[in-house]
Amino acid sequence: MQLSAKLAPTFDYPVLERFWRTADELGFPAVWNYDHFYGLVDPTTPTLEGWTSLAAMGVVVRRARVGCLVTGVTYRNPAVLAKMAVTVDHICGGRMDFGIGAGWHEDEHRGYGIDFPSPGQRVAMVDEALTVIRRLWTEDAVDFGGRYFTLRQARCDPKPVQRPHPPIVVGASQPKMLSVAARHADEWNMPSTGPQEWAAASSRLDAACEAEGRDPSSIRRGVQLFLHPNQPDQVDGQLDSIAEYARLGCQHVVLSFYQPPDDSLLRRCAELI
């Protein structure tokens, strides 16, 4: 079981930097942020941009892997996103995991004038984007004519430090996105409300893999647990649930903190590693 730590970029930069550095020093194998422009509940919550803060994380964090859990597919052209990801992979010396999902925060899209297609279309965009991104990471020049994206002799040089490419983490819970994960993911992650819900989705991923002719065991299984440090009983319950997730086949737990944890809580979590 791998245990990693996540803090959204909704706090002052020195707070984020302290969290990243402390998590790295305590031995967490990976540190994460997320990709939003507004606060998730209150849109006025100050929020730093995910990929530029991830680049900073790649410098501050010296040992752990880094990643964005997850990038919204609608926010950037996939060729530009592929180039950004390669840049971060070079900045951190090949320690980046590439997380992507279909996106859901409608207010961000409306506010910034970004198209907000239907859920089914956004899922199809992830499928197409991952096809494009993987090719850009591994081929000299890419021609692609899809429903959503078009590339003509597109190049992505240099290639990633990690070969053939950084691990792809797909965030998914519903059947269509689980099928995308079955086609593309090295790891699947799901924000979970409980172990049984997670296990049911994991079983659906097994079926999606079988439909794709893929060995289900080739995809690492992960869950994102949300911790509220200002609610100690809630934190206790989430940490206690880790054993049950492990029993059900979970291989990676991402502890996502809603408030910055103090050093004692982060150390307590690190001891579970």
Side-chain angles (χ1 to χ4, degrees), residues 51-69:
W51 274 89
T52 45
S53 59
L54 182 62
M57 188 197 301
V59 174
V60 172
V61 171
R62 306 303 299 175
R63 293 172 294 185
R65 298 187 66 80
V66 299
C68 183
L69 194 68

Side-chain angles (χ1 to χ4, degrees), residues 129-201:
L130 282 171
T131 300
V132 165
I133 290 167
R134 189 192 301 270
R135 290 187 60 191
L136 284 164
W137 284 343
T138 58
E139 299 177 20
D140 290 336
V142 177
D143 289 309
F144 183 86
R147 180 179 177 186
Y148 302 101
F149 308 113
T150 300
L151 280 68
R152 295 187 178 90
Q153 286 297 288
R155 305 187 66 88
C156 185
D157 297 314
K159 298 305 180 191
V161 174
Q162 300 177 84
R163 299 300 177 92
H165 54 73
I168 294 170
V169 183
V170 174
S173 59
Q174 299 303 314
K176 288 183 179 179
M177 270 300 291
L178 289 169
S179 294
V180 172
R183 284 190 287 277
H184 296 284
D186 298 297
E187 179 172 340
W188 161 68
N189 185 279
M190 173 182 160
S192 182
T193 55
Q196 295 308 316
E197 291 83 355
W198 181 89

Side-chain angles (χ1 to χ4, degrees), residues 53-243:
S53 59
L54 182 62
M57 188 197 301
V59 174
V60 172
V61 171
R62 306 303 299 175
R63 293 172 294 185
R65 298 187 66 80
V66 299
C68 183
L69 194 68
V70 289
T71 304
V73 70
T74 53
Y75 296 142
R76 304 167 189 84
N77 178 286
V80 174
L81 182 58
K83 174 68 77 169
M84 292 166 59
V86 165
T87 302
V88 173
D89 199 45
H90 279 260
I91 287 170
C92 69
R95 292 179 289 116
M96 187 202 70
D97 290 342
F98 180 76
I100 193 167
W104 60 271
H105 203 315
E106 185 172 0
D107 285 350
E108 293 178 330
H109 293 76
R110 301 302 182 206
Y112 283 12
I114 300 170
D115 288 342
F116 188 64
S118 68
Q121 289 176 305
R122 298 199 306 276
V123 170
M125 289 174 70
V126 177
D127 195 10
E128 204 168 281
L130 282 171
T131 300
V132 165
I133 290 167
R134 189 192 301 270
R135 290 187 60 191
L136 284 164
W137 284 343
T138 58
E139 299 177 20
D140 290 336
V142 177
D143 289 309
F144 183 86
R147 180 179 177 186
Y148 302 101
F149 308 113
T150 300
L151 280 68
R152 295 187 178 90
Q153 286 297 288
R155 305 187 66 88
C156 185
D157 297 314
K159 298 305 180 191
V161 174
Q162 300 177 84
R163 299 300 177 92
H165 54 73
I168 294 170
V169 183
V170 174
S173 59
Q174 299 303 314
K176 288 183 179 179
M177 270 300 291
L178 289 169
S179 294
V180 172
R183 284 190 287 277
H184 296 284
D186 298 297
E187 179 172 340
W188 161 68
N189 185 279
M190 173 182 160
S192 182
T193 55
Q196 295 308 316
E197 291 83 355
W198 181 89
S202 185
S203 294
R204 293 195 294 271
L205 179 58
D206 288 343
C209 286
E210 291 168 5
E212 292 291 328
R214 183 173 179 184
D215 179 0
S217 68
S218 66
I219 300 179
R220 188 166 73 155
R221 309 303 168 101
V223 68
Q224 184 173 188
L225 300 183
F226 300 102
L227 277 65
H228 297 266
N230 62 1
Q231 301 174 32
D233 290 344
Q234 190 271 346
V235 170
D236 291 345
Q238 290 289 66
L239 297 182
D240 288 345
S241 73
I242 291 174

